[in-house]
Amino acid sequence: MEKVVSEAEELPKAIVRRVVKEKLSECSPDYDFNVHKDAHLAFTESARIFIHYLSATANDICKESKRQTMNAEDVFKALEEIEFSEFVKPLRASLAEFRKKNAGKKGGAAKENEVKKKRKIEDSSAKNGTKTKQKKEDNHKEEQIEEEQEQDE
């Protein structure tokens, strides 16, 4: 009897295939492995089941802490609880590296969005013929500078 898995629960086969192939080539760089279609299916299904088991365990840990939002610490504790504690240290290192790599991107994107919002507000106020508070302040500063320059002359 074949179990039917919803499309939402299916893991991308190409990604699973790539992960398996990369890991096998790391383990035996001098040997070229071929993996049968059934083996790929077994890897995919095993990974899906592992994710379900890990997420359910992490969810239980989250509920025990009386929280609704699961975080990385819940996943680490779940790994330990299901006796995969050897994964916690490399996972923490990988997560720290990911956060470090993406910290600049997030800050840059936030600044870019802020600039876009500011421009949008300025554009809409220019179309309406009104001045924003910032524009009024800028104009006031410019007037003050001009007055100071005139007084210096």
Side-chain angles (χ1 to χ4, degrees), residues 88-130:
V88 173
K89 188 175 181 180
L91 182 57
R92 283 185 191 277
S94 179
L95 183 60
E97 184 179 323
F98 174 81
R99 286 176 175 163
K100 183 179 177 184
K101 188 170 95 173
N102 288 306
K105 290 180 183 179
K106 190 173 183 180
K111 284 183 181 179
E112 190 176 311
N113 287 340
E114 192 175 309
V115 169
K116 284 180 182 178
K117 283 181 183 177
K118 198 172 185 179
R119 284 185 189 146
K120 194 173 184 178
I121 291 170
E122 289 174 355
D123 289 346
S124 66
S125 65
K127 286 178 185 175
N128 296 335
T130 60

Side-chain angles (χ1 to χ4, degrees), residues 42-130:
F43 279 118
T44 302
E45 186 64 10
S46 299
R48 187 185 68 77
I49 291 168
F50 179 77
I51 290 169
H52 278 235
Y53 186 47
L54 180 62
S55 61
T57 306
N59 187 46
D60 291 344
I61 291 168
C62 187
K63 284 181 180 178
E64 287 170 7
S65 301
K66 294 179 175 53
R67 290 180 287 109
Q68 292 182 342
T69 304
M70 192 182 308
N71 60 38
E73 284 302 315
D74 297 324
V75 177
F76 299 145
K77 288 177 186 173
L79 282 167
E80 290 173 354
E81 192 170 304
I82 64 174
E83 299 181 12
F84 283 95
S85 57
E86 67 272 13
F87 292 140
V88 173
K89 188 175 181 180
L91 182 57
R92 283 185 191 277
S94 179
L95 183 60
E97 184 179 323
F98 174 81
R99 286 176 175 163
K100 183 179 177 184
K101 188 170 95 173
N102 288 306
K105 290 180 183 179
K106 190 173 183 180
K111 284 183 181 179
E112 190 176 311
N113 287 340
E114 192 175 309
V115 169
K116 284 180 182 178
K117 283 181 183 177
K118 198 172 185 179
R119 284 185 189 146
K120 194 173 184 178
I121 291 170
E122 289 174 355
D123 289 346
S124 66
S125 65
K127 286 178 185 175
N128 296 335
T130 60

